[in-house]
Amino acid sequence: QAHLIESGGGSVQAGGSLKLSCAVAGYSFSGYCMGWFRQAPGKEREGIAAIKTDNTTTYKDSVKGRFTISTDNAKNTLYLQMSSLKPEDTAMYYCAARLPCPKGGVWPGPLYWGQGTQVTVSS
């Protein structure tokens, strides 16, 4: 059973930056993607960034060029560097493991979820 623990969320003004971390225990990065999802109030959870074991990345268009996903395999940690944040980025952000890699804009659900970390961007 994997355990994913996110950290790094918080409140920031528009244009600011935050870096989210996800510590992963009980699961090794292999064969599937790792990723980040988010869910804003009243909206469905959406996939925004994914990374393969060969470091190939996929991003939702709305975050492309502003967010960067990365991993530190030695630390079994997943990161999401977020820059140029906008109020519409306000959401609960979730780490995801054993994620079938997204294709053609389709983001399947992962097997493992973290508990989420809140990101609030004020204008």
Side-chain angles (χ1 to χ4, degrees), residues 23-39:
V24 181
Y27 178 77
S28 297
F29 299 2
S30 63
Y32 288 84
C33 276
M34 299 284 294
W36 289 93
F37 286 66
R38 68 185 181 187
Q39 187 168 19

Side-chain angles (χ1 to χ4, degrees), residues 11-26:
S11 297
V12 65
Q13 289 193 327
S17 299
L18 283 173
K19 186 173 185 177
L20 306 183
S21 299
C22 174
V24 181

Side-chain angles (χ1 to χ4, degrees), residues 30-70:
S30 63
Y32 288 84
C33 276
M34 299 284 294
W36 289 93
F37 286 66
R38 68 185 181 187
Q39 187 168 19
K43 295 188 176 181
E44 292 187 354
R45 193 172 297 189
E46 61 176 0
I48 57 170
I51 187 167
K52 295 182 180 179
T53 51
D54 65 359
N55 289 325
T56 302
T57 55
T58 302
Y59 296 95
K60 186 175 176 65
D61 285 347
S62 59
V63 307
K64 202 173 293 183
R66 301 187 298 121
F67 292 9
T68 303
I69 188 171
S70 62

